[in-house]
């Protein structure tokens, strides 16, 4: 067990609050007591409690990062870059995973809010309204959700979706499917809009779907029967699940149906056939989100004061 | 900004410590004051500070989990299972990543130690001595490190390594290489011991290596020139990097050299050739580590591993 403030108080013969003050406001403790407490603390190996200090200084030097699913290969490069950015600025990064569950997301924001100085919330599944409410409790930066008034880093997925559609059209495809993502996903909505606005391509939307291999596998038969020759999938995992499912139905990729993923994940790069995919600047997003968060937290605005000399001040008596 | 204890104190006309006691030790506050403080707290939307409560109760209801590299596909299934176990017991799980750096590992244990009730430390790279020292500060459970007196969950990698060697010997291979892992890894040491003790196989050890694709890629030429027809790699990523590197040198897998990985990761399952690999019960380990941590039991749990034979192994050329 680690040494507590109570151990130090008992061994020093003072009250717990005196030990606390010795570390948080030493000028309020008389010199003799302070010296004794510090000596005892040193002897016992007492480490002033970060949580306790955070009550005084309002700082933990920790940043929380919340993702929808750690097992999705999209997230590790984002997390690693966020972590490196946090370390450069002397913060620790703690990561939590919502399992794509909005209620869990809210719960984790609240749990983090007292243990960290700020949160990077990636690909949130909560509603804009819920996020606006949470933003009043704790500083956070959103990744891949755009809400007026909140700091946000988004990747231009619409541009990527358009490029994917143009690639399919350029190959001669005329009727294609979008295998979309989960319903709470801003990214999926943006991709959908861009796909439906593509000229010269007939488009069917299949979804919402779980953003996993299982999600792709589950719609393989539907895709095979949709009369399409091309597919844009919500992400690489969905694309891979779909390709596996199509293979089981005897539908070849790209021989019979072309499939494009999203994310350019390591999983997609190692898969065979090597996936055509939309690369996402996930590392940049992680780094920039942390930088913006740290800037917003340390942006303590200092306003100048100035002295107004009127009539209540004068030289002391006797001074000419 | 969130409502602070000071806001509640001011609005209730009582001292901050009275508000604190109202939440932490309500029986010490007189009924009238308590009622007023609670009404004001409710009205202002005050949420008792988890950090503050932790000072009183010694509980945060958070568990920390530290891994060597979140981007290694070995870890997500372990983390997800640990998270599910934590949730079942009303704990939040916060994850941190050491980037395979022992100094960072120590730093993260210390950072976590005041924000969580206990830590699951996976595949640590610190020395036993350093870990024994840290264990005095905060309750933790080790995964894949065995230290007398500390609670630990290890996977029986020696058993898996022996099965892999027997598989290669059974296919007719006579001279094989172990492409080992990082130097601080207990797992790598256990695999090495088991491999070197294998009868009927001439073994060369190549390493230590980074436990990544780059690590495997970097030794491809060395493996190609080692006069071996079979390889056991430290993990699936190393195996894949090695296979890619051998391919670039015109050495086919399994045609020229058989390669076995470790972990049975999603990455290995999707790769072609499908990897022969040693399955690791990572999910079980994550779940049990959290359960053990929560129960604060002191036991060494050993989980079995097993060999998965797929397509990356074959008899050496010339063996009928």
């Amino acid at each position: 067990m680690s040494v507590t403030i109570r151990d130090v108080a008992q061994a020093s013969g003072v009250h717990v609050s005196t030990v606390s003050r010795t570390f948080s406001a030493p000028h309020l403790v008389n010199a003799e007591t302070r010296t004794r407490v510090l000596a005892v603390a040193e002897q016992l190996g007492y480490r002033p409690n970060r949580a306790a200090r955070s009550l005084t200084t309002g700082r933990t030097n920790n940043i929380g990062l919340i993702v929808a699913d750690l097992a999705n290969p999209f997230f590790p490069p984002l997390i690693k870059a966020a972590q490196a950015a946090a370390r450069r600025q002397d913060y620790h990064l703690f990561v939590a995973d919502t399992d794509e569950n909005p209620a869990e997301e809210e719960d984790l924001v609240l749990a983090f809010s007292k243990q960290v100085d700020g949160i990077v919330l990636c690909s949130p599944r909560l509603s804009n309204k819920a996020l606006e409410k949470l933003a009043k409790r704790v500083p956070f930066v959103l990744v891949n959700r755009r809400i007026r008034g909140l700091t946000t880093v988004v990747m231009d997925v619409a541009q990527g979706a358009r490029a994917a559609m143009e690639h399919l059209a350029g190959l001669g495809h005329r009727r294609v499917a979008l295998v979309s993502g989960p319903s709470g996903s801003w990214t999926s909505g943006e991709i959908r809009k861009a796909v439906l606005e593509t000229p010269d391509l007939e488009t069917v939307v299949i979804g919402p779907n779980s953003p996993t291999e299982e999600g792709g596998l589950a719609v393989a038969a539907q895709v095979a029967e949709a009369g399409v020759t091309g597919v844009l999938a919500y992400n690489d995992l969905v694309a891979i699940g779909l390709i596996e499912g199509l293979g089981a139905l005897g539908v070849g990729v790209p021989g019979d149906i072309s499939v494009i993923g999203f994310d350019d994940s390591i999983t997609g790069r190692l898969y065979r056939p090597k996936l055509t995919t939309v690369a996402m600047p996930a590392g940049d997003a992680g780094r920039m989100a942390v930088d913006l968060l740290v800037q917003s937290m340390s942006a303590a605005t200092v306003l100048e004061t100035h002295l107004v000399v009127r009539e209540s001040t004068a030289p002391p008596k006797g001074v000419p």
Side-chain angles (χ1 to χ4, degrees), chain A:
Chain A
M1 287 305 296
S2 66
V3 178
T4 68
I5 195 168
R6 281 183 183 70
D7 302 331
V8 177
Q10 193 165 15
S12 315
V14 300
H15 194 263
V16 164
S17 63
T18 307
V19 179
S20 171
R21 261 198 306 281
T22 301
F23 289 97
S24 62
H27 58 286
L28 298 180
V29 180
N30 85 52
E32 191 197 317
T33 307
R34 193 168 64 216
T35 306
R36 187 165 77 246
V37 169
L38 287 173
V40 168
E42 166 111 28
Q43 192 190 328
L44 297 180
Y46 173 69
R47 188 164 173 272
N49 189 319
R50 226 170 229 267
R53 272 188 295 144
S54 82
L55 292 177
T56 311
T57 65
R59 291 279 299 266
T60 62
N61 267 69
N62 301 323
I63 288 174
L65 184 143
I66 297 177
V67 298
D69 180 12
L70 265 169
N72 183 334
F74 170 70
F75 287 112
L78 187 156
I79 296 169
K80 299 293 258 189
Q83 179 168 283
R87 271 178 203 156
R88 272 196 300 276
Q89 297 170 86
D90 201 27
Y91 282 85
H92 295 110
L93 190 81
F94 300 160
V95 182
D97 172 330
T98 69
D99 271 329
E100 300 275 352
N101 178 346
E104 187 65 29
E105 191 175 305
E106 180 162 21
D107 199 35
L108 283 169
V109 170
L110 296 176
F112 261 150
S113 70
K114 302 301 179 188
Q115 311 286 343
V116 302
D117 298 336
I119 297 174
V120 175
L121 187 46
C122 301
S123 309
R125 304 295 184 229
L126 284 168
S127 68
N128 284 11
K129 203 168 169 178
L131 291 168
E132 281 167 355
K133 210 168 156 190
L134 288 174
K136 291 178 185 147
R137 289 187 173 273
V138 54
F140 62 64
V141 171
L142 295 171
V143 175
N144 279 352
R145 173 73 64 90
R146 206 196 278 271
I147 300 178
R148 190 192 294 271
L150 298 187
T151 307
T152 176
V153 177
V154 297
M155 304 176 215
D156 192 348
V157 289
Q159 177 197 43
R162 280 191 297 271
M165 291 294 106
E166 282 160 20
H167 174 63
L168 289 174
L171 289 170
H173 297 277
R174 288 295 161 255
R175 183 174 156 83
V176 302
L178 168 66
V179 175
S180 63
S183 54
S185 159
W186 175 88
T187 306
S188 189
E190 293 291 299
I191 293 171
R192 183 194 166 100
K193 260 187 277 173
V195 164
L196 291 178
E197 285 165 4
T198 309
D200 308 328
L201 270 180
E202 199 182 330
T203 318
V204 294
V205 177
I206 295 174
N209 302 291
S210 160
T212 58
E213 278 176 87
E214 291 71 31
L217 198 59
V219 295
Q222 205 180 333
V223 168
E225 288 161 15
V228 300
T229 60
V231 173
L232 175 60
Y234 173 67
N235 67 18
D236 286 355
L237 292 183
V238 171
I240 288 170
L242 176 63
I243 295 172
E244 294 284 313
L246 290 173
L249 297 169
V251 179
V253 173
D256 300 308
I257 294 185
S258 288
V259 176
I260 301 180
F262 237 99
D263 293 352
D264 193 20
S265 63
I266 176 79
T267 312
R269 285 198 292 274
L270 292 172
Y271 186 69
R272 299 291 180 274
K274 294 185 180 179
L275 265 188
T276 298
T277 186
V278 177
M280 298 271 270
D284 290 345
R287 179 178 53 71
M288 294 180 73
V290 165
D291 287 347
L292 285 168
L293 184 64
V294 171
Q295 279 166 33
S296 74
M297 294 184 312
S298 54
T301 308
V302 178
L303 304 175
E304 291 192 356
T305 60
H306 67 280
L307 181 67
V308 182
V309 179
R310 293 206 177 95
E311 298 167 356
S312 63
T313 44
K317 275 185 181 161
V319 174

